[in-house]
Amino acid sequence: MKTKKKTLTIAGSDATGGAGLQADLKTFQEYGTFGMSAITSIVTMDINDNWSHTIETIEPEIVGRQLDTIFAGGKPDALKTGMLGDIRTIAVVRDAIERYQPKNIVIDPVLACKGTAGILLSENADSIRELLFPVADVTTPNLVEAGILSGLGELKTVSEIEKAAIILHGYGAKNVIIKGGRRFDNQHDEALDVFYDGHDFHHLKSPLVHSDNNHGAGCTFAAAITAGLANGQSTLDAVTTAKAFVHAAITNAQPFNQYLGHIWHGAYRDNGRFKF
Ligand code: PXL
């Protein structure tokens, strides 16, 4: 059997299994890579309080030990970060990246969860910008995160999104993909993502899926890019495949409760789109 490429997620646990490190590991497996995880936080949701989220952070020192344990087996072929939760954890992650020098680093700058109205982790924004963007090969903010991280606030037009991408690239992220999706005002029948590699913009479109069952889409998108890079795809190819992977997953989503529904991480494979 061919040696599997190794992928790593440094992320929070979503107890429901749709987002967070669970989504990442499922996606890594779908891509035929060997997934590993360092857990940074545990997210729970309260059915009796409008599905409000609580984040329990893991001690940063324990995150560091998990990373040392993982890197003791060699460098993963690609890694991603998700919800980090504590600014001390962001520093621990940067330190590990400096010591181990892994390649193919995808920073998903999680500041909010779908299913929550507000921003959960705004205090993380400065640290992500200062410590993680300079080592990022790819960053994958959604519209809200891109607005906060760029300092531009609410992004309403394609040109504002492109401006935000240029600013985030200026902070050191080599490639920026801003997930506009359907939250984007004048997009009625397409999900639009804007990709910027420091030279060119690419507008990536997929047909809009009219479904509220999209929990886990953001994490899964970043995980799919990570696994694609591990497998040797170019950045643009990895992003394009990841978009198709997530589109299939949303199309085959299933309700979880009255608040959310989970995307199905196995849909792309079900559709026969992976050939290993
Ligand atoms: O979708 C953002 C997200 C990231 N990470 C974890 C989460 C969520 C949203 O619920 O639970 C662990």
Side-chain angles (χ1 to χ4, degrees), residues 11-16 18-22 24 40-45 51 53-55 80 82-84 108 110-116 120-121 142 145 214-220 260:
S13 164
D14 168 18
T16 76
L21 69 85
Q22 289 84 353
D24 297 342
T40 58
S41 52
I42 299 172
V43 178
T44 50
M45 299 84 160
W51 207 237
H53 290 42
T54 301
I55 302 175
K80 78 171 277 270
M83 179 185 285
L84 298 171
D108 187 16
V110 174
L111 302 176
C113 285
K114 279 214 192 84
T116 52
L120 290 171
L121 295 163
N142 60 31
E145 290 157 349
N214 56 11
H215 181 65
C219 302
T220 300
L260 56 83

Side-chain angles (χ1 to χ4, degrees), residues 1 108 127 131 165-166 194 202 223:
M1 195 175 73
D108 187 16
S127 296
L131 297 179
I166 291 170
V194 173
H202 296 267

Side-chain angles (χ1 to χ4, degrees), residues 96-120:
I97 288 171
E98 270 174 10
R99 280 187 294 122
Y100 294 113
Q101 298 284 315
K103 292 198 178 68
N104 296 323
I105 297 172
V106 178
I107 303 295
D108 187 16
V110 174
L111 302 176
C113 285
K114 279 214 192 84
T116 52
I119 304 301
L120 290 171

Side-chain angles (χ1 to χ4, degrees), residues 200-219:
D200 299 311
F201 286 102
H202 296 267
H203 290 178
L204 307 175
K205 295 176 185 171
S206 56
L208 194 58
V209 186
H210 293 280
S211 165
D212 286 329
N213 298 332
N214 56 11
H215 181 65
C219 302

